[in-house]
Amino acid sequence: MVNLGLISGNKSANSVKISFRLPYLTQWGQSLLVCGSVPVLGSWNVKKGVLLTPFHEGTELVWSGSITVPKGFECEYTYYVVDDKKNIVRWEMGKKHELRLPESVQSGQEIEFRDLWQTGSDALPFRSAFRDVIFRQSWDSSIKTTTGVNHINLEPEAESILVQFKVFCPNIEKDTSIYLIGSNTKLGQWKVESGLKLSYADENAGSGNASIENGPNREVSINASRREAKYIYLSDGMIRETPWRGAGVAIPMFSIRSESDLGVGEFLDLKLLVDWAVASGFHLVQLLPINDTSVHQMWWDSYPYSSLSVFALHPLYLRVQALSKNIPEEIKQEIESAKQQLDGKDVDYEATMATKLSIAKKVFNQEKDLILNSSSFQEFFSENEGWLKPYAAFCFLRDFFETSERSQWGRFAHYSEDKLEKLVSKESLHYEIICFHYYVQYHLHLQLSEASEYARKKGVILKGDLPIGVDRNSVDTWVYPNLFRMNTSTGAPPDYFDKNGQNWGFPTYNWEEMSKDNYAWWRARLTQMGKYFTAYRIDHILGFFRIWELPDHAMTGLVGKFRPSIPLSQEKFGPAWTFVATTFLNEYDKSCYEFKEDSNTEKKIASKLKTSAESSLLLESEDKTRRSLFDLLQNIVLIRDPENPKHFYPRFNLEDTSSFQALDDHSKDVLKRLYYDYYFHRQENLWRQNALKTLPALLNSSEMLACGEDLGLIPSCVHPVMQELGLVGLRIQRMPNESDLEFGIPSQYSYMTVCAPSCHDCSTLRAWWEEDEDRRQRFFKNVMESDELPPDQCVPEIAHFIIRQHIESPSMWAIFPLQDLLALKEEYTARPAIEETINDPTNPKHYWRYRAHVTLESLNKDNELKTIIKDLVRWGGRSIPPEDSEVEASLISTSSAADAVSEKQQFAAISEKIGHPSESNGVPSKGPLAVR
């Protein structure tokens, strides 16, 4: 790109005036600013950008400004909303605007760029999920716009004004013609045959079904009083088609069952799952996290959200048969024997890990020199050594010291580059062990890459999962301790899942430290994920607004506070402080009690209780006694900040405490008003600003489609920010966002959502149906509109109704757990529904071991189930991926279809449809498409 922006705003003999024009409604005290890649636009320093001036045009507030540049000028630019000190309030998402002056522009002329503010939603079609997978065969990825030009004479003797129309149309087939029609004679006076045909790389005339874009007519006006020649570049956003909608299946990697696996799903099984997805009409396969979690080297590691490394893949998903083409016969026999032993109803995490690593080591010993010296491995190592070497060193130390607790590692407890290089040195005695970890990660990379590429070619998005936390004994906290608040834990306040809240045990993030290098650690995570996935789910996206932070001594999730948050302090109460302290903070007098020093935290209670239980001093059970003591400990209304004794936070759900109930009515009213203002009003702007600092770093670091898990207690700032950033939300019918609804209404969901009847954190559709008879009857009456008694079991007809509800919803995606789809056919419901649950959020030591009770090979042979599902998807108006035979047939029929329908007939068909919305399910269009 030519950098000619070093000149000032003064005109010269070879200068051109550039004007920017953008309609945008700002709030009081805010302004619009344009900043770009060249000095005259600030060189991406917003403080040096060009402020625009507002004016009213009808009901719109329009911002404009100009600069003077030399001929041949090129740059990129973006619009920002700033305050009166030029601090950024928000900025455009998506691709940067590109400015290139054509050679035909003469000195002294003025060029006006009329733009529209780009939101995150506008950029979605150019995310890799759509660009490289869904629309891959429809459009050359190098072509991003379709443009056309037309000269319009303002009056008989006036200078011509050249208007260039630009519209984005990523979901248009290459053999489709785009026509611009309008009220002006130059635009055909609404007659398509006389309209302006827009141009793109392929000039072939289109054929097939005719259609016209949806929505109201677009408008363009020219100021006739301006006499000088002028160019107008009109960027008119996206072509307005019926929004694309798709469907998918969700299943954890470990839950997949195939005839080739060793007791657990493996990356190469994804190819079979993709085949089944395509045949069932699905464009997406969603997984849970697949990173290595082997912190404890026992079944506790089955928890997929507690990463040992956010970069390393889990050895559990390795297919040992694919490690080499020359596996000795005795190892092949060992593999076959292991397949029989591990083929159980559920995953045996410990036995499966031990078996796979044992076999992998034997194959590694046979071919290590061949692999480690190969160009393929050297390329992998070169691209990944930044995380691969610390990971291998950590695994070696974990195994050598038999613990991941770094305080037990002696001089290696604290990480340094020098120590790392000694640990991974080729001269070290344990170098072969280090290389084995390289070797396993290399093959995991090859196998997942193979499955990922297979999915892309089949038109299926592979959707990953980005955990909100990492294990406190992880590679990442070892290497980057400054990025984490190690004296805290992450969790969730009381919600639908657990009335006591949740304590996940992860350290919270030090966002202030992370911001110093523009969140490089996060950006690296997303870049790594983007090698395999084209979409991802942000686990607990609320954590990027505010995280529920607990002291490290807590075991439940009740006694926490949001971070960031504005604390209450003594100073804020002024003269009323004495009343607050004596009434709410237990200034202990007669008949008041406090915990002893050795019993004043949950962990101290649990430890002391364990000792008492072993001495048989308790009449009650240990669990019941511990719960009673925890309730007493949590029976407070204000929590003192351990880092600042003058700061306090209202205890979540303080109305549930007996301390609150014992207060007089006036004190209750004061505390209730304080509580609701604190949690639902005063923090909103702080949390919004926090999210707008952190989330864009994630979204801009990869081209994957981002979805956010926005369940739980939702601050009002969350959904507007997600909409602005182009983040797709989640809707679970049994957990509606609306407080006045018991069951969500899928037909009323917004487009920017993923809808599902259940998820991995709750019971399956079948189990939910069986759990509560009264609730089942309310659903049957109010949602299914039947006055009869519902069946006790979720029969296929019930599952069909609920799945159809979701497929017919406006949501961009309808994604179904495999268990819910199997409920469509009675023969797959023989297994007790309760056994299909993946996670129990109320149990922090839940064993994640669910395996599907049917193999992928069997599912691929079941044409009846595939037809049932595909018909549901098709009838629901969602896009269906073409199967191989359909792709071949469409290629053969294209030329004959072009001959069968004349262009004149196409024009007539479009003209008749003006004013009527086109019917489309989001499948790429063929034939003339009119923009109006």
Short mmCIF file of all heavy atoms in Angstrom, two decimals, residues 321-345:
data_model
loop_
_atom_site.label_atom_id
_atom_site.label_comp_id
_atom_site.label_asym_id
_atom_site.label_seq_id
_atom_site.Cartn_x
_atom_site.Cartn_y
_atom_site.Cartn_z
N GLN A 321 -3.55 -46.31 16.81
CA GLN A 321 -3.38 -47.10 15.59
C GLN A 321 -2.83 -46.27 14.44
O GLN A 321 -2.23 -46.80 13.51
CB GLN A 321 -4.73 -47.71 15.13
CG GLN A 321 -5.41 -48.58 16.16
CD GLN A 321 -6.46 -47.82 16.95
OE1 GLN A 321 -6.14 -46.80 17.53
NE2 GLN A 321 -7.67 -48.33 16.97
N ALA A 322 -3.06 -44.94 14.50
CA ALA A 322 -2.65 -44.05 13.41
C ALA A 322 -1.27 -43.45 13.63
O ALA A 322 -0.82 -42.63 12.83
CB ALA A 322 -3.68 -42.94 13.23
N LEU A 323 -0.56 -43.85 14.68
CA LEU A 323 0.76 -43.29 14.95
C LEU A 323 1.79 -43.72 13.92
O LEU A 323 2.75 -43.00 13.66
CB LEU A 323 1.23 -43.71 16.35
CG LEU A 323 0.49 -43.07 17.53
CD1 LEU A 323 0.99 -43.67 18.85
CD2 LEU A 323 0.67 -41.56 17.53
N SER A 324 1.60 -44.88 13.34
CA SER A 324 2.58 -45.39 12.38
C SER A 324 1.92 -46.40 11.45
O SER A 324 0.94 -47.05 11.82
CB SER A 324 3.75 -46.07 13.13
OG SER A 324 4.64 -46.69 12.23
N LYS A 325 2.48 -46.51 10.26
CA LYS A 325 2.03 -47.55 9.33
C LYS A 325 2.75 -48.86 9.56
O LYS A 325 2.42 -49.87 8.94
CB LYS A 325 2.26 -47.07 7.89
CG LYS A 325 1.44 -45.85 7.49
CD LYS A 325 1.72 -45.45 6.05
CE LYS A 325 0.89 -44.24 5.64
NZ LYS A 325 1.18 -43.81 4.23
N ASN A 326 3.71 -48.84 10.46
CA ASN A 326 4.52 -50.04 10.70
C ASN A 326 4.48 -50.47 12.16
O ASN A 326 5.51 -50.72 12.79
CB ASN A 326 5.98 -49.77 10.28
CG ASN A 326 6.09 -49.35 8.83
OD1 ASN A 326 5.60 -50.04 7.94
ND2 ASN A 326 6.73 -48.21 8.59
N ILE A 327 3.28 -50.53 12.71
CA ILE A 327 3.14 -50.97 14.10
C ILE A 327 3.37 -52.48 14.18
O ILE A 327 2.74 -53.24 13.44
CB ILE A 327 1.74 -50.62 14.64
CG1 ILE A 327 1.56 -49.09 14.66
CG2 ILE A 327 1.52 -51.20 16.04
CD1 ILE A 327 0.20 -48.64 15.15
N PRO A 328 4.26 -52.94 15.06
CA PRO A 328 4.53 -54.38 15.18
C PRO A 328 3.27 -55.16 15.55
O PRO A 328 2.35 -54.63 16.18
CB PRO A 328 5.57 -54.44 16.31
CG PRO A 328 6.20 -53.08 16.33
CD PRO A 328 5.13 -52.14 15.94
N GLU A 329 3.27 -56.43 15.18
CA GLU A 329 2.10 -57.26 15.39
C GLU A 329 1.72 -57.38 16.86
O GLU A 329 0.54 -57.39 17.21
CB GLU A 329 2.35 -58.66 14.80
CG GLU A 329 1.11 -59.54 14.70
CD GLU A 329 0.03 -58.91 13.81
OE1 GLU A 329 0.39 -58.26 12.81
OE2 GLU A 329 -1.16 -59.07 14.16
N GLU A 330 2.73 -57.48 17.74
CA GLU A 330 2.42 -57.63 19.16
C GLU A 330 1.72 -56.38 19.71
O GLU A 330 0.85 -56.47 20.59
CB GLU A 330 3.68 -57.93 19.98
CG GLU A 330 4.75 -56.86 19.98
CD GLU A 330 5.76 -57.02 18.83
OE1 GLU A 330 5.43 -57.76 17.87
OE2 GLU A 330 6.84 -56.43 18.91
N ILE A 331 2.08 -55.19 19.19
CA ILE A 331 1.41 -53.96 19.64
C ILE A 331 -0.01 -53.91 19.07
O ILE A 331 -0.94 -53.47 19.76
CB ILE A 331 2.22 -52.72 19.24
CG1 ILE A 331 3.59 -52.72 19.91
CG2 ILE A 331 1.46 -51.44 19.61
CD1 ILE A 331 4.45 -51.51 19.58
N LYS A 332 -0.18 -54.38 17.84
CA LYS A 332 -1.52 -54.45 17.26
C LYS A 332 -2.42 -55.35 18.10
O LYS A 332 -3.60 -55.02 18.35
CB LYS A 332 -1.46 -54.96 15.82
CG LYS A 332 -0.87 -53.98 14.83
CD LYS A 332 -0.91 -54.55 13.42
CE LYS A 332 -0.33 -53.59 12.39
NZ LYS A 332 -0.34 -54.18 11.02
N GLN A 333 -1.90 -56.45 18.56
CA GLN A 333 -2.68 -57.36 19.40
C GLN A 333 -3.01 -56.70 20.74
O GLN A 333 -4.11 -56.86 21.28
CB GLN A 333 -1.91 -58.66 19.61
CG GLN A 333 -1.76 -59.50 18.35
CD GLN A 333 -0.93 -60.74 18.57
OE1 GLN A 333 -0.52 -61.05 19.70
NE2 GLN A 333 -0.66 -61.48 17.49
N GLU A 334 -2.07 -55.92 21.27
CA GLU A 334 -2.31 -55.20 22.52
C GLU A 334 -3.42 -54.17 22.34
O GLU A 334 -4.27 -54.00 23.22
CB GLU A 334 -1.02 -54.51 22.98
CG GLU A 334 -1.17 -53.78 24.32
CD GLU A 334 0.11 -53.10 24.75
OE1 GLU A 334 1.16 -53.30 24.09
OE2 GLU A 334 0.07 -52.36 25.75
N ILE A 335 -3.42 -53.52 21.19
CA ILE A 335 -4.47 -52.53 20.90
C ILE A 335 -5.83 -53.20 20.82
O ILE A 335 -6.82 -52.72 21.39
CB ILE A 335 -4.15 -51.78 19.60
CG1 ILE A 335 -2.91 -50.90 19.78
CG2 ILE A 335 -5.34 -50.92 19.16
CD1 ILE A 335 -2.40 -50.26 18.50
N GLU A 336 -5.91 -54.33 20.13
CA GLU A 336 -7.18 -55.04 20.01
C GLU A 336 -7.68 -55.52 21.36
O GLU A 336 -8.89 -55.46 21.65
CB GLU A 336 -7.04 -56.22 19.04
CG GLU A 336 -6.89 -55.83 17.59
CD GLU A 336 -8.05 -54.98 17.10
OE1 GLU A 336 -9.21 -55.36 17.37
OE2 GLU A 336 -7.80 -53.94 16.47
N SER A 337 -6.78 -55.99 22.19
CA SER A 337 -7.16 -56.43 23.53
C SER A 337 -7.66 -55.25 24.36
O SER A 337 -8.67 -55.36 25.08
CB SER A 337 -5.96 -57.08 24.23
OG SER A 337 -6.27 -57.43 25.56
N ALA A 338 -7.00 -54.10 24.23
CA ALA A 338 -7.40 -52.91 24.98
C ALA A 338 -8.78 -52.41 24.52
O ALA A 338 -9.58 -51.95 25.34
CB ALA A 338 -6.36 -51.81 24.80
N LYS A 339 -9.05 -52.54 23.23
CA LYS A 339 -10.36 -52.12 22.72
C LYS A 339 -11.48 -52.89 23.40
O LYS A 339 -12.52 -52.33 23.76
CB LYS A 339 -10.43 -52.32 21.20
CG LYS A 339 -9.68 -51.27 20.40
CD LYS A 339 -9.64 -51.60 18.92
CE LYS A 339 -11.02 -51.61 18.31
NZ LYS A 339 -10.98 -51.84 16.85
N GLN A 340 -11.27 -54.18 23.58
CA GLN A 340 -12.29 -55.00 24.24
C GLN A 340 -12.43 -54.63 25.71
O GLN A 340 -13.55 -54.52 26.24
CB GLN A 340 -11.92 -56.49 24.11
CG GLN A 340 -11.77 -56.98 22.68
CD GLN A 340 -13.05 -56.81 21.86
OE1 GLN A 340 -14.14 -57.06 22.35
NE2 GLN A 340 -12.89 -56.38 20.61
N GLN A 341 -11.31 -54.43 26.39
CA GLN A 341 -11.34 -54.16 27.82
C GLN A 341 -11.93 -52.77 28.14
O GLN A 341 -12.59 -52.60 29.17
CB GLN A 341 -9.92 -54.24 28.40
CG GLN A 341 -9.32 -55.64 28.35
CD GLN A 341 -7.86 -55.65 28.79
OE1 GLN A 341 -7.33 -54.63 29.21
NE2 GLN A 341 -7.22 -56.81 28.68
N LEU A 342 -11.70 -51.80 27.26
CA LEU A 342 -12.12 -50.43 27.54
C LEU A 342 -13.48 -50.08 26.94
O LEU A 342 -13.97 -48.97 27.12
CB LEU A 342 -11.07 -49.44 27.00
CG LEU A 342 -9.69 -49.53 27.66
CD1 LEU A 342 -8.69 -48.64 26.91
CD2 LEU A 342 -9.76 -49.13 29.13
N ASP A 343 -14.09 -51.03 26.25
CA ASP A 343 -15.36 -50.77 25.58
C ASP A 343 -16.51 -50.88 26.58
O ASP A 343 -17.36 -51.76 26.49
CB ASP A 343 -15.57 -51.73 24.41
CG ASP A 343 -16.77 -51.34 23.56
OD1 ASP A 343 -17.14 -50.15 23.57
OD2 ASP A 343 -17.33 -52.23 22.90
N GLY A 344 -16.54 -49.97 27.56
CA GLY A 344 -17.56 -50.02 28.60
C GLY A 344 -18.69 -49.05 28.34
O GLY A 344 -18.70 -48.30 27.36
N LYS A 345 -19.65 -49.05 29.28
CA LYS A 345 -20.79 -48.15 29.16
C LYS A 345 -20.35 -46.70 29.29
O LYS A 345 -20.84 -45.82 28.60
CB LYS A 345 -21.82 -48.49 30.25
CG LYS A 345 -23.07 -47.62 30.20
CD LYS A 345 -24.08 -48.02 31.26
CE LYS A 345 -23.57 -47.70 32.66
NZ LYS A 345 -24.60 -47.97 33.69
#
